[in-house]
Each structure stands twice: as structure tokens, then as C-alpha cells.
């Protein structure tokens, strides 16, 4: 059994190691982190802390994905308590006071668990006080007879009025109005003698329960609400963006691999076209009549009446095609293209997903990353959608027009035939591979099992497989 713990300011890493030896300790969870985990039934993921400003927060569907796979997911103290309160009906287990406050609707604001902290190298040193800690400290003060309910409400409101980045007991002292100064002093004098860190206590409780194999920390079961409609294009694209394998010191995502196969494998256009047409015709891509079936679907939908509709999917040179071929290209492009941000495995024709092809494409992507980092001029900051790493637009376009053997004004159509919705999406996916292509030429990727596909627009690929004098180093699985 593997225990993965996402934690930051709530507890020091050393205390986590003491309470739950052999746990794999991770920084606060963010969007995509759960999708990178290699876990399955019998494993446990314990979420305590999580990012929500510096990085996109962990999505509910990422947690539901783990639950659906039989992984035990439990939360406490901070982001874990918040997500558990939102998903406990589906089998995420919640532990502690903070979880119960959210689950019961006593607390509803995300800011109540928000805390400003230092970097990991500084031990996530806490720089503010979470409001939920103040709330529970006030509750304890009322129980101890130090303050009454009305005074507790006023003190909580004074803290709530402070921006969460500035919340602290010291800030409460400095900003309290004169008529509340004595009340604040009375509460803080007591609290400093008897401090209580509610989030830390909840985190310890969760880790102790895990160490004791508490039966309450169990995977989702029949008593929980079924998880329906989990597998969406959103989840598929998130998986492709974040899941992957480390190769040569680089994290190569499934989306990186998909881009290599779609852009560099010579059979990509034909395989992609048959896959899209088969989906529309509801038949197997290997069906020799797949194109005829797709044309029949188009005829039933009125797309052949008076010539094919959607002429924007055809270049000027293609407008003279016969109606059958024109409508086939239109169908493949209109129903088979996606923006880069949505690129996922479903966009890669199934024959191209063979293990040997995926492993080889992953090696190409890793080599390209190494080139981009070591041999090409470095750029500063993160790469944003539409941004550039190293190359100008005309360099990217010229490289791939030569690779694919098409004139520059036909590049958009060539990108459509490989699944990219427009030139910007194509360029964003293609740019990381330009350095590789200029250094080594096109890679000799393994052939698709089962023989070549037939049909589809011509694609020369400029010797991508057979021209040994120009092809790059062979890339093999393994």
C-alpha cells in the first residue's frame, strides 16, 4: 500500500514522517498533481494543504477520478477539508473539526482556510492566521468562560474584515477599534497561554488514523453516491496535459507524445481521417467502406445538396475537388480538429497509440526538450498559449511545410488533416520540435502495426520514413 500526503504549512514534513512512516510526502496539491500519481486500489491519497492562488486548485473531477479507480482519498485541515466537505457523498473521507464546519455549512468561504506562507525551502513558514483557526479558538474561549457568544461573534467579525493575507492575532491587536481593545486583550492573553492550532490538530488526526489503518479511511463503496459522467473531454485533456513519464530528466506528458505522433508520423493524416470518418459513420476504421459510409451520413444530413457546405474548411486549390472528396475532407476537418489546449489521446488515431510508437515518440519529445534547454537561446518566464519559445512564425511554418512537402499557403489544410483547428494551435504544438528537426531531421518512428492506412489527402512527408539520408536517428521503444 502506498500513502501519498499533500502537505505544506499545516505540519512540518518531519512530523509527517514521524506520524506516518514511509509516506510519500508531496507539496500542497495543485491542479494536475493527482493525475501524475501512479496509484490504484489499496493506495491512499491524503490531502491536507493545497494551492489556490499561485496555481490553479485541484479540481473535483481529479479527485473523483481517483475514487472511481478504487483509491482511498481523504482530506483534513485545509484544502483537504474543503474538498472532502464537497465530495464526501461520493466517498472522499473527511476528518476533523475544519471538515465538519464546512460539511455542515457553518463555514462556507474558501478564505477561512487560506494562509500566507513562505517557500518550501523555508519550511512553509506561516505568515498569516487562517480564519478557521480563529473561529475554533474563539469557540474554545467561550467554552472556557473567557468570552461570551456575543463577544466571540464580534471578534470573529473583526478578523473576517481583515484581508486573508493580513490576518493574524497581531493584526487584530493593531486594528481593533478602541471599544474592543479590552476584549481583544482578554481573549489573546488567554489564547497565548493555551494556544490551539486547529488545522495542525486535524492534520495530525488524519495521519494518525492512516497509521492505525482506521476503517473510516476506506475507498468509495456501495453506500456512497455513484460517480456518474466522470469521463469528459475536460478530464481527458487534463490527463494528457499532466500525466506522463520522466525521460532523461524531463517530464514528458501524454500531450507531448500526442503532438509528436500527430505532427511527425507519416501516417498521421490518413489514420486521423479514417478515425474521424469511422466515428461519424459508427463503424470500425478498418472497414474498407468507411468513406462510403461517411458520405452516406453526409448525404442524409444534406451536406451534399448543392455541393459541400463549410467551404471554409477547403483551400482555394481544393475547391475544384469532386463533391465526394470535398465532403470527406470537410467532415474530417470539421469534426476532427481541436485547439492545442484540448489536445488529448482521443485525438490520436488508435493505431498510432501502439506502445512502441508511444515510447518512441516520448523519446523524441524528451530529446527535443533537452535541445531546447541546452543548445538554443533561453527565454525567461513561462510559456503562455500563443507564446514562443525560440522560433519566429515563419521559421516554424517553413520547417513543417518542407517536412510535409506542401506549399506554405497549404499549411493550414495540412494542420487540419492532422487534427489541429488552426495555425496557432499547430504552431504552439510544433515549435518545441523545430530544434530537433533542424538538428537531426525527421525521426524514423516505428511503422504502424497492421500495415499502412489508405485514402485521404496526399502527404509526402519529405522522406520522413524511407529517406535514410535525411531521416534522423532511429527511435525505438524501451
Amino acid at each position: 500500500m502506498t500513502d501519498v500526503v499533500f502537505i505544506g504549512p499545516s505540519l512540518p514534513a518531519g512530523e509527517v514522517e514521524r506520524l506516518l512512516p514511509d509516506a510519500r510526502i508531496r507539496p500542497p496539491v495543485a491542479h494536475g498533481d493527482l493525475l501524475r500519481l501512479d496509484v490504484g486500489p489499496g493506495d491512499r491519497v491524503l490531502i491536507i494543504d493545497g494551492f489556490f492562488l499561485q496555481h490553479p486548485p485541484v479540481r473535483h473531477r481529479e479527485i473523483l477520478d481517483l475514487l472511481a479507480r478504487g483509491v482511498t482519498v481523504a482530506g483534513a485541515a485545509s484544502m483537504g477539508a474543503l474538498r472532502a466537505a464537497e465530495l464526501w457523498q461520493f466517498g472522499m473521507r473527511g476528518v476533523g473539526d475544519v471538515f465538519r464546519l464546512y460539511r455542515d455549512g457553518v463555514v462556507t468561504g474558501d478564505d477561512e482556510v487560506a494562509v500566507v506562507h513562505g517557500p518550501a525551502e523555508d519550511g512553509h513558514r506561516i505568515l498569516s492566521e487562517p480564519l478557521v483557526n480563529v473561529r475554533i479558538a474563539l469557540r474554545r474561549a467561550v467554552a472556557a468562560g473567557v468570552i461570551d457568544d456575543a463577544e466571540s461573534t464580534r471578534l470573529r467579525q473583526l478578523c473576517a474584515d481583515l484581508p486573508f493575507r493580513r490576518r493574524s492575532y497581531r493584526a487584530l491587536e493593531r486594528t481593533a477599534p478602541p471599544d474592543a481593545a479590552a476584549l481583544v486583550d482578554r481573549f489573546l492573553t488567554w489564547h497565548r497561554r493555551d494556544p490551539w492550532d486547529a488545522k495542525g490538530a486535524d492534520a495530525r488526526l488524519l495521519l494518525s488514523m492512516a497509521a492505525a489503518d482506521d476503517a473510516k479511511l476506506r475507498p468509495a463503496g456501495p453506500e456512497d453516491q455513484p460517480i456518474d459522467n466522470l469521463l469528459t473531454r475536460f478530464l481527458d485533456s487534463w490527463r494528457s496535459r499532466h500525466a506522463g513519464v520522466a525521460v532523461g530528466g524531463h517530464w514528458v506528458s501524454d500531450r507531448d507524445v500526442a503532438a509528436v505522433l500527430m505532427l511527425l508520423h507519416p501516417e498521421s493524416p490518413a489514420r486521423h481521417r479514417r478515425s474521424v470518418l469511422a466515428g461519424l459513420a459508427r463503424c470500425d476504421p478498418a472497414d474498407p467502406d468507411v468513406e462510403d459510409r461517411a458520405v452516406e451520413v453526409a448525404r442524409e444530413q444534406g451536406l451534399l445538396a448543392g455541393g459541400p457546405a463549410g467551404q471554409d474548411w477547403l483551400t482555394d486549390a481544393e475547391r475544384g475537388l469532386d463533391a465526394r472528396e470535398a465532403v470527406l475532407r470537410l467532415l474530417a476537418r470539421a469534426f476532427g480538429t481541436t485547439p492545442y489546449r484540448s489536445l488529448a489521446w482521443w485525438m490520436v488515431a488508435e493505431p498510432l497509440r501502439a506502445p512502441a510508437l508511444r515510447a518512441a515518440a516520448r523519446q523524441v519529445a524528451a530529446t527535443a526538450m533537452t535541445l531546447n534547454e541546452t543548445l538554443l537561446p533561453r527565454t525567461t518566464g513561462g510559456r503562455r498559449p500563443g507564446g514562443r519559445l525560440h522560433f519566429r512564425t515563419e521559421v516554424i511554418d517553413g520547417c513543417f511545410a518542407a517536412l510535409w512537402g506542401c506549399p506554405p499557403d497549404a499549411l493550414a489544410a495540412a494542420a487540419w488533416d492532422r487534427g489541429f483547428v488552426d495555425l496557432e494551435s499547430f504552431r504552439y504544438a510544433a515549435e518545441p520540435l523545430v530544434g530537433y528537426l533542424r538538428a537531426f531531421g525527421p525521426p524514423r518512428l516505428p511503422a504502424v502495426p497492421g500495415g499502412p492506412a489508405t485514402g485521404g489527402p496526399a502527404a509526402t512527408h519529405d522522406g520522413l520514413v524511407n529517406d535514410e539520408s535525411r531521416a534522423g536517428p532511429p527511435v525505438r521503444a524501451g
Side-chain angles (χ1 to χ4, degrees):
M1 179 177 66
T2 298
D3 284 319
V4 182
V5 181
F6 289 93
I7 196 159
S10 290
L11 280 183
E15 190 163 2
V16 177
E17 294 169 351
R18 179 179 63 81
L19 291 169
L20 189 60
D22 301 323
R24 290 161 50 187
I25 301 174
R26 297 288 184 267
V29 69
H31 172 49
D33 289 342
L34 301 185
L35 300 171
R36 295 186 182 96
L37 296 179
D38 181 17
V39 291
D43 296 328
R44 299 184 297 201
V45 174
L46 310 180
I47 300 175
I48 295 172
D49 293 310
F51 290 111
F52 76 101
L53 276 182
Q54 303 94 324
H55 309 280
V58 61
R59 306 291 203 261
H60 302 80
R61 198 171 291 273
E62 298 172 66
I63 296 172
L64 293 173
D65 180 46
L66 290 181
L67 294 172
R69 287 158 47 192
V71 178
T72 296
V73 185
S78 191
M79 178 62 79
L82 179 61
R83 288 292 182 260
E86 295 160 336
L87 297 174
W88 66 268
Q89 293 174 303
F90 298 96
M92 182 176 179
R93 311 307 174 192
V95 168
D97 281 346
V98 179
F99 160 70
R100 286 188 289 272
L101 287 170
Y102 275 108
R103 181 198 61 190
D104 298 341
V106 177
V107 176
T108 58
D110 294 3
D111 69 305
E112 290 229 11
V113 291
V115 62
V116 180
H117 60 85
E121 311 85 71
D122 193 28
H124 295 109
R125 184 166 61 92
I126 295 176
L127 304 174
S128 69
E129 190 71 29
L131 185 57
V132 72
N133 267 6
V134 178
R135 179 188 290 271
I136 293 174
L138 291 170
R139 187 178 68 186
R140 295 178 71 245
V142 171
V146 177
I147 57 176
D148 60 28
D149 287 335
E151 290 172 328
S152 171
T153 299
R154 185 169 191 204
L155 289 173
R156 185 173 66 247
Q157 189 58 53
L158 288 173
C159 285
D161 289 342
L162 294 169
F164 81 87
R165 294 178 181 273
R166 293 178 51 209
R167 282 181 192 144
S168 68
Y169 290 121
R170 184 172 297 177
L172 175 63
E173 280 185 302
R174 289 197 310 265
T175 61
D179 63 330
L183 172 60
V184 170
D185 181 67
R186 179 166 23 111
F187 165 67
L188 290 180
T189 298
W190 171 84
H191 176 70
R192 285 164 180 157
R193 287 199 308 264
D194 187 19
W196 181 254
D197 175 11
K199 289 176 62 175
D202 285 0
R204 292 184 189 94
L205 175 61
L206 175 59
L207 296 171
S208 298
M209 291 174 65
D213 288 327
D214 194 302
K216 293 177 182 176
L217 301 185
R218 63 190 185 281
E223 73 278 9
D224 299 302
Q225 187 169 318
I227 300 172
D228 298 323
N229 302 314
L230 173 65
L231 302 178
T232 65
R233 291 282 172 87
F234 286 108
L235 181 59
D236 203 17
S237 65
W238 294 344
R239 282 175 175 165
S240 293
R241 188 185 316 160
H242 297 289
V245 174
V247 179
H250 297 284
W251 183 261
V252 183
S253 72
D254 288 346
R255 185 164 67 175
D256 297 326
V257 177
V260 169
L261 292 171
M262 293 167 68
L263 290 165
L264 300 185
H265 201 284
E267 290 195 41
S268 173
R271 295 287 183 177
H272 178 71
R273 168 165 155 153
R274 291 186 70 82
S275 177
V276 175
L277 296 178
L280 293 171
R282 298 185 179 182
C283 65
D284 191 300
D287 188 330
D289 298 324
V290 64
E291 293 191 349
D292 291 335
R293 292 173 180 270
V295 169
E296 185 59 32
V297 169
R299 181 176 291 109
E300 292 171 358
Q301 298 299 319
L303 294 178
L304 295 183
Q311 294 287 330
D312 288 346
W313 289 107
L314 300 176
T315 66
D316 290 340
E318 292 173 323
R319 295 187 191 279
L321 291 169
D322 66 83
R324 181 181 185 277
E325 177 58 26
V327 79
L328 286 171
R329 294 192 186 192
L330 181 156
L331 291 172
R333 294 167 180 177
F335 294 97
T337 54
T338 186
Y340 179 76
R341 66 179 179 273
S342 301
L343 185 60
W345 275 123
W346 65 269
M347 283 298 299
V348 180
E350 189 159 355
L352 292 176
R353 302 180 209 166
L357 281 162
R358 292 171 68 161
R362 201 176 298 278
Q363 185 61 57
V364 169
T367 303
M369 291 175 184
T370 298
L371 278 173
N372 291 337
E373 286 189 359
T374 59
L375 300 183
L376 297 172
R378 291 182 179 272
T379 55
T380 58
R383 186 182 183 219
R384 299 182 180 277
R388 289 283 182 266
L389 282 169
H390 309 285
F391 297 104
R392 301 186 309 277
T393 295
E394 55 267 30
V395 174
I396 302 170
D397 291 359
C399 178
F400 276 85
L403 175 72
W404 293 339
C406 66
D409 60 0
L411 197 62
W416 292 336
D417 290 335
R418 288 161 176 80
F420 297 93
V421 73
D422 54 30
L423 283 172
E424 283 308 305
S425 292
F426 148 71
R427 288 169 185 146
Y428 195 77
E431 188 191 11
L433 301 172
V434 171
Y436 180 100
L437 293 171
R438 296 180 77 172
F440 300 121
R444 297 196 299 273
L445 294 167
V448 177
T454 58
T460 65
H461 301 82
D462 201 24
L464 187 58
V465 169
N466 297 320
D467 187 350
E468 294 290 331
S469 66
R470 297 197 55 183
V475 182
R476 299 183 178 87

